[in-house]
Amino acid sequence: MKLRHNFKNLTVWNKAVDLAVKVYETTGSFTTDEKFGMTSQMRRASVSIPSNIAEGSARNSSKAFSNCLDISLGESFELETQAIIASRVGLLKFNDFESLNKDLDEIQKMIIGLKSSIESNPY
């Protein structure tokens, strides 16, 4: 099967990987009692964003790729919600929250744009 999109060449995938790394670095400063709580949740959601983009790129239809992008977008909103909660309870510093929020906003817009492009140019 020929890949329709090489996920490693997608800017949104690269930015999402960078975001996941940032989340790992940021949550490293969370308290140890959050290891299986917020730390785990935020890391899982952040890794899921680029993972679903990569998975979708290997699918053999636009509809399947679009579905994976929907999941990726949902994970990004889940991560955004977790960051808001982490900020409100004092786990996440304001500057870290602002940085994550800015990255998430950009990635969400890119996922929506890629999804729109794929749906308007099906393969």
Side-chain angles (χ1 to χ4, degrees), residues 35-49:
K35 182 178 181 184
F36 299 107
M38 192 62 76
T39 301
S40 176
Q41 288 292 313
M42 289 181 72
R43 288 179 174 185
R44 183 200 55 75
S46 71
V47 168
S48 187
I49 298 167

Side-chain angles (χ1 to χ4, degrees), residues 28-61:
S29 67
F30 285 11
T31 59
T32 53
D33 60 325
E34 282 299 329
K35 182 178 181 184
F36 299 107
M38 192 62 76
T39 301
S40 176
Q41 288 292 313
M42 289 181 72
R43 288 179 174 185
R44 183 200 55 75
S46 71
V47 168
S48 187
I49 298 167
S51 297
N52 278 291
I53 294 168
E55 179 182 346
S57 72
R59 300 296 175 119
N60 59 6
S61 75

Side-chain angles (χ1 to χ4, degrees), residues 88-99:
R88 288 188 183 181
V89 300
L91 292 170
L92 193 57
K93 297 174 190 162
F94 180 76
N95 289 343
D96 290 334
F97 171 75
E98 287 293 310
S99 178

Side-chain angles (χ1 to χ4, degrees), residues 71-90:
I71 294 167
S72 184
L73 186 61
E75 292 291 340
S76 76
F77 284 108
E78 181 179 328
L79 178 59
E80 184 176 359
T81 299
Q82 292 160 350
I84 291 166
I85 294 167
S87 176
R88 288 188 183 181
V89 300

Side-chain angles (χ1 to χ4, degrees), residues 6 9 13 27 39 46 51 54 59 66 83 91 104 107 110 121:
N6 182 342
N9 293 332
W13 178 84
T27 57
T39 301
S46 71
S51 297
R59 300 296 175 119
S66 181
L91 292 170
L104 277 164
I107 289 166
M110 293 175 81
N121 297 303

